[in-house]
Amino acid sequence: MSAAPRFELPLPDLAPWRAGNTGVEGVWHFDSGQPGRAVLITALIHGNELCGAWALKGLLEAGVRPARGTLTLALCNLAAFDRFDADRHDAARFVEQDLNRQWTPERLRAADSVERRRAAELAPFAERADWLLDLHSMHEPSAPLLLTGVQPRNLALARQLAAPEHIVIDAGHSDGVRLRDFGRFGLPDAQAGDSRSLLLECGFHGDPASRAVAQDICRRFLQAAGTLDAAALDAALPGWRLLDAPRQWALTVEGAAVARSPRFAFTEAFTGLEHFAHAGTVIGHHDGPGQGEPVVTPYDDCVLVMPSVRQARQGVTVVRFARRRPLA
Ligand SMILES: [Zn+2]
């Protein structure tokens, strides 16, 4: 395994914003009293992913209030965040279970872990939201990735946002349902009404740039949703808007490699978005470097999405494969 990248993003002080104003810890809700979308922005679904917490803290400190519709800001897994230690930040991803795999009625009802009870507290806010932006970061250094799911409505919104450069069209994980696929967010376009949901992986967990990426997408999302107009956002959030992406690529996830043991090893220190021209290129091995059955690219013009062995064990996805095309 390559040396872990340095964790340079500071820990945000969330104490002033911890209580929320909804009766649910960490959840803030503001109502313009005017017609408009119900917008939900979530951070800390994983407790070690600090960039979104920085962005929400910034929105709260700036006193951003919706001009139309409602705005809900949720700091999600505070119990995991409380365990954060920059030297072992992966240990703060969750307490008992991954909060981003619990979004089915059965798991929410089960209430048999810290995360399932927390998901049940957060679920009513997600159910009331029209548009969801869920802010995450990644195990490894990488360009930001916007995950739209398979619904064309979310891809259209990604194009409207004009950032980031890389858009991932993926069907989620086999081991549970993500918040961004919860309820009507996961429905086909014809049944989903105005709902939209996007998940942004803002970069490496510890990269200060991930905070700027999270802030920029919040500003773009609030403008696109009609929550506030551009002038009001620029006045409230100076410096948050970054340049538009020079181009956007749609990466359609088709296939993944699932580890068979903690010994899974890649052939190189991949960080994501590596492109392979030919099917059958060896990218890893199941039983350690050069050991056991090789893992190969499944088709020509294949791109690696979020390779990581840090959570590797039997049954865990260590990389997803995507086909690449320009987003017109
Ligand atoms: Zn995450």
Side-chain angles (χ1 to χ4, degrees):
M1 185 190 295
S2 59
R6 280 169 54 89
F7 205 104
E8 294 176 334
L9 181 62
L11 189 67
D13 176 10
L14 299 181
W17 307 108
R18 187 150 181 135
N21 68 349
T22 59
V24 175
E25 187 181 37
V27 183
W28 294 84
H29 180 75
F30 306 105
D31 190 337
S32 68
Q34 301 299 315
R37 293 192 168 99
V39 170
L40 171 61
I41 306 180
T42 49
L44 292 179
I45 282 282
H46 295 129
N48 60 334
E49 300 181 358
L50 307 182
C51 59
W54 274 110
L56 264 53
K57 177 179 159 77
L59 292 171
L60 290 162
E61 285 176 344
V64 168
R65 298 292 181 269
R68 286 168 291 279
T70 64
L71 175 61
T72 305
L73 305 174
L75 300 160
C76 292
N77 199 341
L78 288 164
F81 170 79
D82 287 343
R83 300 176 164 209
F84 182 85
D85 173 350
D87 292 331
R88 7 187 341 267
H89 55 85
D90 277 343
R93 182 174 172 83
F94 54 80
V95 178
E96 294 182 78
Q97 290 183 301
D98 188 331
L99 182 55
N100 216 22
R101 301 290 184 274
Q102 309 308 325
W103 298 91
T104 61
E106 298 72 27
R107 290 187 181 186
L108 294 173
R109 261 199 311 273
D112 55 356
S113 68
V114 168
E115 276 78 15
R116 286 182 179 178
R117 288 188 288 276
R118 182 59 172 161
E121 287 183 344
L122 297 170
F125 299 98
E127 286 166 347
R128 286 194 288 269
D130 298 314
W131 284 27
L132 166 71
L133 174 63
D134 188 21
L135 298 169
H136 289 251
S137 53
M138 293 182 268
H139 295 291
E140 309 291 342
S142 168
L145 300 175
L146 187 64
L147 278 59
T148 64
V150 296
Q151 302 91 358
R153 65 185 183 278
N154 293 320
L155 191 62
L157 177 55
R159 191 182 298 126
Q160 185 184 346
L161 294 177
E165 179 171 352
H166 297 97
I167 314 298
V168 178
I169 301 166
D170 75 320
H173 300 266
S174 58
D175 53 345
V177 175
R178 300 172 299 186
L179 173 59
R180 71 151 310 278
D181 301 315
F182 175 53
R184 74 185 168 127
F185 295 134
L187 293 177
D189 286 0
Q191 301 164 35
D194 181 48
S195 83
R196 303 284 186 279
S197 63
L198 296 173
L199 188 164
L200 183 61
E201 301 281 2
C202 297
F204 167 58
H205 300 317
D207 185 349
S210 68
R211 172 175 48 190
V213 170
Q215 291 173 338
D216 175 60
I217 201 76
C218 283
R219 193 209 165 287
R220 289 172 189 271
F221 195 81
L222 291 171
Q223 183 178 341
T227 307
L228 285 161
D229 61 30
L233 287 163
D234 285 337
L237 305 169
W240 278 37
R241 177 149 199 161
L242 306 178
L243 294 174
D244 289 353
R247 72 194 76 78
Q248 288 181 294
W249 299 103
L251 306 176
T252 305
V253 174
E254 294 181 26
V258 176
R260 294 179 191 163
S261 80
R263 298 183 299 280
F264 179 90
F266 289 112
T267 54
E268 292 174 45
F270 298 128
T271 60
L273 305 175
E274 288 86 359
H275 171 260
F276 297 90
H278 302 295
T281 308
V282 176
I283 60 147
H285 294 85
H286 275 293
D287 291 315
Q291 302 293 309
E293 192 178 333
V295 172
V296 300
T297 54
Y299 37 77
D300 291 349
D301 291 319
C302 179
V303 172
L304 303 188
V305 175
M306 292 179 68
S308 179
V309 294
R310 295 190 194 283
Q311 307 279 328
R313 61 182 186 280
Q314 186 175 12
V316 168
T317 299
V318 287
V319 66
R320 285 178 275 173
F321 300 111
R323 296 182 194 273
R324 192 178 85 164
R325 66 180 165 85
L327 192 58

